Amino acid sequence: MTSRFENGRRAQGSVREGAEDAMFGNYLFGDESNFDLRFVPEYKRITEIVDALRVLGMRVVLTSGSFDIIHEGHSMYLEAARKFGDFLIVGLDSDEKIRRRKGPNRPAVPEMERLRMVTHQRGVGLVTLKQVDHPRWSLIEAVRPDVLVATADTYTAEEIAELEDAYCGRVEVLDRMATVSTSARLRRIQLGLSDRGGDGPGRRED
């Protein structure tokens, strides 16, 4: 009997030979990080992969962020995002993109290490970089996700309406799940404080 993976491979002729074998050989669906396959810098290639996933009837989820100093909140957020579909794509802000937004001392972790760490998170299908010179919403346009997951401060209500009208099935807004933000944690490190509970030094921030 022909499997649905084989049907997908035959139907999706635009996926390059070799990479196609890797993708449908479960390398993007297994538990291993397989970074060389999961990191896809070219948005055109991501579109090809998404097209192939849709041949298989899969719902594609997209989310983005800095993911600087991976912590519990990041893991919980990615796990929650993955539950909205079958395959999760994560866009990471490049080092330069973060520096322009947060200052010269960020990110604390360089982009290639952040990319590798995210591929180790459960449920992440592939990762890519969002560069400074990329047009607005270019990754969203390349993926056209069934579900776009974001935090409350990412898009305005007007932007969400525009995204749902033109680029994605729907936008799901999640609360931030970290008890301490990366910025707060870095400040505590600079001050010589810990994250352990208790009064005085080490008191957990709200």
Side-chain angles (χ1 to χ4, degrees):
M1 177 181 292
T2 303
S3 70
R4 73 170 186 162
F5 286 105
E6 287 297 327
N7 287 335
R9 288 176 59 177
R10 292 172 183 173
Q12 189 56 38
S14 64
V15 179
R16 291 195 295 268
E17 186 177 358
E20 179 189 54
D21 289 337
M23 184 171 70
F24 291 102
N26 282 340
Y27 292 106
L28 291 186
F29 304 112
D31 293 332
E32 297 81 8
S33 64
N34 291 315
F35 178 75
D36 291 341
L37 290 169
R38 292 190 192 275
F39 173 43
V40 183
E42 304 89 0
Y43 285 10
K44 180 180 178 182
R45 174 70 182 130
I46 293 175
T47 300
E48 293 174 347
I49 292 173
V50 170
D51 287 346
L53 293 170
R54 290 211 166 99
V55 168
L56 302 179
M58 290 186 163
R59 290 173 55 79
V60 177
V61 181
L62 173 66
T63 195
S64 299
S66 301
F67 298 98
D68 193 14
I69 306 183
I70 291 286
H71 52 65
E72 181 185 29
H74 290 136
S75 297
M76 293 170 65
Y77 176 85
L78 290 171
E79 183 177 354
R82 170 64 174 75
K83 290 179 180 178
F84 287 109
D86 304 303
F87 192 87
L88 176 61
I89 297 173
V90 182
L92 269 75
D93 293 335
S94 69
D95 289 351
E96 182 59 26
K97 193 174 180 71
I98 294 175
R99 274 193 291 270
R100 292 195 184 188
R101 187 171 72 252
K102 297 189 176 184
N105 294 324
R106 296 290 300 276
V109 179
E111 59 192 36
M112 291 307 296
E113 184 175 345
R114 288 187 288 118
L115 285 163
R116 289 182 182 278
M117 288 302 298
V118 169
T119 63
H120 282 286
Q121 301 301 299
R122 184 179 302 169
V124 173
L126 66 81
V127 298
T128 192
L129 276 176
K130 297 171 65 178
Q131 303 285 4
V132 170
D133 58 352
H134 284 164
R136 178 181 185 240
W137 296 351
S138 57
L139 179 57
I140 300 172
E141 185 174 7
V143 175
R144 295 188 175 271
D146 297 288
V147 182
L148 175 64
V149 179
T151 54
D153 56 352
T154 304
Y155 304 114
T156 65
E158 292 76 14
E159 288 173 330
I160 289 175
E162 182 181 350
L163 285 164
E164 291 182 336
D165 182 61
Y167 297 114
C168 62
R170 73 179 193 272
V171 177
E172 289 285 348
V173 177
L174 299 181
D175 293 330
R176 292 189 179 277
M177 299 180 182
T179 55
V180 180
S181 71
T182 298
S183 296
R185 179 157 287 160
L186 287 170
R187 286 196 297 270
R188 297 182 71 84
I189 291 171
Q190 291 167 352
L191 293 171
L193 304 177
S194 76
D195 280 342
R196 293 189 298 273
D199 296 331
R203 181 175 57 84
R204 203 167 186 81
E205 293 187 21
D206 295 331

